[in-house]
Amino acid sequence: LDVSMDTWSYFRTCLASIWLHRFYIYSAVALGISLWIVIQFTTSKTKKKVTEPVRTEDKLVNGCATPQAKEVYVAAVKIFYGSQTGTAKRFAKALAEAVTSLNLPVEVINMGDYDPDDCLAEETTSRNVCVFLVATYTDGQPTESAAWFCKWLEEAANDFRVGKTYLKGLRYAVFGLGNSVYVDHYNTVGRRVDRWLWMLGASRVMTRTEGDCNTVQSRHGSIEGDFEAWKAKFLTRLQALCRGEKKPCSGKCKKGKCRSPGKQNKESSDHEHGASEHENTEVEELFETSSEEEADAEEAAGTNSVVDVEDLGNIMGHMKKAKSEHELQDGGVGRRENPGRKEEEEKREMITPALRDALTKQGYKLIGSHSGVKLCRWTKSMLRGRGGCYKHTFYGIESHRCMEATPSLACANKCVFCWRHHTNPVGTEWRWKMDQPEVILQEAIENHQNMIKQFRGVSGVKAARFEEALAVKHCALSLVGEPIMYPQINRFVRLLHQHSISSFLVTNAQFPEEIR
């Protein structure tokens, strides 16, 4: 009992002492917390000062941003080449070595092993710079390895279903390989690839350069010299891009031709001012005009742009006036007085030479004088083992075995919001020469099969589906125009069914008698 009393007395004495000196204890705790805060702040500030110079030093190596930097302006460089004799491939490897010396990732790609339908759109957000080394082969055609890539690019650039900003964000440069001895086809592939990329919204990092195998005309004595000069300029431009400098070309040059100050005269050859400019001008004219009446109306109205609905009355007035004057100049009164001559005049071919050129450049395979066939993008998709269109979802139609065609390229309307560039003819009744349905069907199947055969060996295409696609099992009469306007549409559909080909017809419902 005495021991327990002594312990309690001792404990109570300690508590009383702590209570009496509580002010000193509080002060010591506060001082300790303050010292801890100061030490933590000083340590973090010192670390920041030490690491900041490292980031600044590592940010630029040879003028290029490294992967450790926060802002990466150029992630990598992809070099595409299409070569027949090995020159473009050799140039691609040499350029890759030079780019590697700048501590940039680089990839060399054979166009024959690349699927643009799958991968090219990814380059719009990858921050890569794409370089195209393309050679012009026999008769101005691309090399065998680059043939499919160029065909895909051409169809995408001329297809109204592909947006004109499809490749917006892709940065590219083109070096063409050609021989000026062949004047008519000199570097046509390089020029076309450059223009098609531009038409799809891609941006040049520098003006296209054309290498010349003809040592007499070559700017630097040989195509190797042309390449070395271009390579030096490209590497300088690439370093500027790595530093975040903006490109000198805005990418909005008219007709796909760069007009950057001081660049055009230095880097574009004299051949471009002739053949290429004429070709670009021809393309624009064909896309913007579709008939003599439209051209007369635009000339009378003094504009080539889309007009407001309120102004359509004036446009139609000018059109009728121009048409009347045209008939009077060509003896239109005499034709009206001669029914036989009028009937003969009306039975002209639907597709004029200008329309034929325009539609062919958009990927149509024309049949006779008023029909056409074209591969649908869902056909291409299903050939690669992917999904089909809504007809596959709703009715079980296999898109890779479907032929998209039309027996009438003419449309009953000319809508101001039409996305088909107004290249198809317009008429509210059939007034053209007529081809027989048997001929249309036979040529449609042959043209469709020929387009399918171009997918043989293409990267990503399933062999089993390729074989199935050669046998047409369904026909979608929905390509363009008003197919039900064709006078022999019933015979044509019966022929399809006799060949065990199901039919799917799209109409704007402006011809109720034909629908019945």
Side-chain angles (χ1 to χ4, degrees):
L1 183 62
D2 292 340
V3 173
S4 61
M5 289 295 294
D6 291 341
T7 302
W8 170 248
S9 177
Y10 176 76
F11 181 70
R12 185 175 60 180
T13 302
C14 290
L15 289 176
S17 177
I18 291 172
W19 177 254
L20 291 174
H21 298 89
R22 64 184 183 277
F23 175 76
Y24 302 104
I25 296 173
Y26 294 160
S27 300
V29 172
L31 180 61
I33 294 174
S34 300
L35 289 174
W36 181 82
I37 292 174
V38 170
I39 292 171
Q40 291 295 323
F41 179 77
T42 305
T43 305
S44 62
K45 191 173 181 180
T46 304
K47 287 182 180 180
K48 188 175 181 181
K49 287 181 179 180
V50 170
T51 54
E52 277 182 351
V54 175
R55 290 178 182 175
T56 304
E57 291 172 1
D58 289 344
K59 189 172 183 181
L60 294 177
V61 178
N62 289 331
C64 294
T66 61
Q68 290 82 6
K70 288 185 177 180
E71 187 69 20
V72 178
Y73 296 103
V74 177
V77 176
K78 289 191 175 182
I79 304 172
F80 299 83
Y81 70 89
S83 181
Q84 194 73 25
T85 61
T87 304
K89 182 178 181 180
R90 178 161 48 86
F91 286 172
K93 291 182 177 179
L95 181 61
E97 292 177 0
V99 173
T100 304
S101 66
L102 300 180
N103 290 334
L104 272 176
V106 62
E107 182 179 0
V108 178
I109 302 171
N110 184 351
M111 287 182 174
D113 301 330
Y114 188 78
D115 188 356
D117 199 25
D118 266 352
C119 308
L120 196 57
E122 298 176 359
E123 303 301 333
T124 59
T125 56
S126 63
R127 295 198 175 188
N128 295 334
V129 174
C130 298
V131 182
F132 297 90
L133 307 178
V134 286
T136 300
Y137 198 43
T138 307
D139 296 329
Q141 297 301 314
T143 59
E144 294 179 5
S145 61
W148 170 250
F149 184 94
C150 293
K151 181 176 177 58
W152 178 91
L153 200 61
E154 179 184 14
E155 290 183 352
N158 294 311
D159 193 340
F160 61 84
R161 292 168 293 189
V162 178
K164 295 307 176 185
T165 58
Y166 181 70
L167 295 181
K168 185 177 181 180
L170 185 148
R171 297 178 293 178
Y172 74 95
V174 175
F175 180 82
L177 293 82
N179 194 324
S180 59
V181 171
Y182 307 98
V183 179
D184 296 335
H185 306 298
Y186 176 64
N187 261 309
T188 53
V189 177
R191 295 173 184 174
R192 289 170 181 171
V193 169
D194 181 36
R195 187 175 73 253
W196 292 332
L197 289 168
W198 173 84
M199 289 173 65
L200 290 170
S203 302
R204 301 181 187 89
V205 298
M206 61 184 296
T207 309
R208 181 189 73 251
T209 301
E210 299 174 351
D212 193 352
C213 290
N214 184 5
T215 57
V216 177
Q217 296 293 332
S218 174
R219 290 174 177 267
H220 302 89
S222 65
I223 193 169
E224 287 78 10
D226 294 338
F227 173 73
E228 290 297 329
W230 171 83
K231 183 177 73 172
K233 293 180 180 179
F234 173 75
L235 294 176
T236 302
R237 185 77 195 103
L238 185 61
Q239 289 178 323
L241 289 173
C242 290
R243 294 191 293 269
E245 296 180 10
K246 295 182 179 179
K247 53 183 171 50
C249 176
S250 64
K252 299 179 180 179
C253 308
K254 293 183 179 180
K255 299 180 183 177
K257 187 175 177 182
C258 185
R259 299 184 181 275
S260 302
K263 293 286 183 182
Q264 185 178 1
N265 294 331
K266 293 181 180 179
E267 298 184 7
S268 61
S269 67
D270 295 336
H271 301 276
E272 182 178 354
H273 296 282
S276 181
E277 186 172 354
H278 172 73
E279 185 179 8
N280 291 338
T281 305
E282 182 183 5
V283 170
E284 285 203 349
E285 289 176 354
L286 291 175
F287 275 105
E288 292 179 359
T289 60
S290 60
S291 64
E292 294 178 1
E293 291 86 353
E294 182 183 7
D296 293 337
E298 289 178 347
E299 184 177 355
T303 179
N304 287 325
S305 59
V306 176
V307 296
D308 293 332
V309 177
E310 294 84 351
D311 299 329
L312 285 178
N314 296 330
I315 298 298
M316 292 302 296
H318 287 298
M319 182 183 295
K320 291 178 180 179
K321 182 179 178 181
K323 189 175 182 180
S324 300
E325 293 176 355
H326 181 71
E327 289 178 352
L328 290 173
Q329 291 175 359
D330 293 344
V333 176
R335 284 199 303 271
R336 285 195 292 271
E337 292 175 354
N338 188 340
R341 187 174 179 181
K342 177 184 178 182
E343 183 178 355
E344 182 182 354
E345 180 69 20
E346 288 182 349
K347 297 299 181 181
R348 65 183 186 276
E349 290 190 357
M350 178 187 294
I351 307 175
T352 64
L355 288 176
R356 186 175 295 275
D357 291 341
L359 292 171
T360 302
K361 287 179 180 178
Q362 293 181 44
Y364 292 89
K365 299 298 180 183
L366 301 181
I367 304 166
S369 61
H370 55 74
S371 307
V373 64
K374 186 178 182 181
L375 279 188
C376 174
R377 68 186 181 94
W378 293 109
T379 301
K380 302 174 186 177
S381 173
M382 218 163 192
L383 279 171
R384 290 181 165 87
R386 301 171 189 165
C389 74
Y390 67 94
K391 290 187 284 294
H392 177 255
T393 304
F394 294 164
Y395 313 116
I397 299 299
E398 295 177 310
S399 300
H400 66 295
R401 309 185 76 177
C402 176
M403 175 177 68
E404 189 177 24
T406 181
S408 173
L409 290 163
C411 188
N413 304 302
K414 198 172 192 67
C415 305
V416 295
F417 51 82
C418 180
W419 58 87
R420 291 185 174 94
H421 309 292
H422 291 163
T423 44
N424 53 312
V426 177
T428 55
E429 60 182 8
W430 189 270
R431 49 187 174 84
W432 301 278
K433 291 181 181 180
M434 186 182 69
D435 301 325
Q436 294 303 309
E438 292 83 2
V439 177
I440 296 174
L441 178 58
Q442 179 182 353
E443 293 191 19
I445 294 176
E446 289 177 358
N447 280 287
H448 178 79
Q449 289 175 338
N450 289 335
M451 288 187 288
I452 292 293
K453 289 177 182 177
Q454 294 177 356
F455 282 82
R456 187 188 302 273
V458 172
S459 176
V461 172
K462 305 293 183 182
R465 293 201 172 183
F466 172 80
E467 296 298 331
E468 291 176 350
L470 293 173
V472 178
K473 303 300 292 182
H474 180 74
C475 180
L477 300 172
S478 59
L479 179 59
V480 70
E482 182 60 77
I484 207 168
M485 192 190 299
Y486 175 52
Q488 295 294 329
I489 186 64
N490 285 330
R491 278 182 58 195
F492 184 74
V493 172
R494 279 196 293 268
L495 282 172
L496 289 172
H497 298 167
Q498 290 173 9
H499 286 75
S500 300
I501 300 175
S502 60
S503 58
F504 186 94
L505 187 143
V506 175
T507 177
N508 218 24
Q510 292 176 262
F511 300 89
E513 292 301 326
E514 286 75 3
I515 293 176
R516 291 188 186 96

